[in-house]
Amino acid sequence: KKFEEANAQVLGLSVDSMFAARTWASALGGINHPLLADFWPHGGVAQAFGIFNDAVGIANRTVFIIDPEGIVRHSELHQGTLPDVDAVLAKLAELQG
């Protein structure tokens, strides 16, 4: 809801199939944002964004803020941690001016 109020769209991306993503979301009790399946070609989008981990075949957990023109304005890698929602919202507000 906070991201909607900031005029932002949250998307999740995984190299898993849409069926695996749906099962994962269901196991968590539901996810409120769309989950995208970067399944085939395996990790093609993650590779294009430079976040595909070849060693284990997954996308590294990363937050991107992309402007309405499709330009990446901010990115941050999270290894072993979850993004801090308030910090992401603060960065978004800063970029929005």
Side-chain angles (χ1 to χ4, degrees):
K1 182 147 178 82
K2 291 180 182 180
F3 286 97
E4 284 181 31
E5 292 169 357
N7 197 30
Q9 171 67 56
V10 174
L11 302 171
L13 175 77
S14 168
V15 298
D16 296 323
S17 71
M18 66 179 184
F19 306 108
R22 188 177 304 141
T23 300
W24 175 77
S26 178
L28 291 177
I31 300 290
N32 294 326
H33 57 274
L35 297 174
L36 309 175
D38 187 16
F39 185 66
W40 194 259
H42 185 71
V45 174
Q47 290 174 27
F49 276 89
I51 62 168
F52 189 76
N53 185 327
D54 288 309
V56 290
I58 62 169
N60 291 321
R61 181 177 288 141
T62 310
V63 170
F64 289 100
I65 297 177
I66 303 171
D67 73 11
E69 288 78 41
I71 299 169
V72 175
R73 297 295 180 183
H74 174 75
S75 67
E76 55 188 54
L77 178 65
H78 291 271
Q79 293 184 345
T81 63
L82 293 174
D84 179 322
V85 172
D86 291 331
V88 174
L89 285 165
K91 186 63 179 181
L92 178 61
E94 175 189 324
L95 291 168
Q96 289 176 332

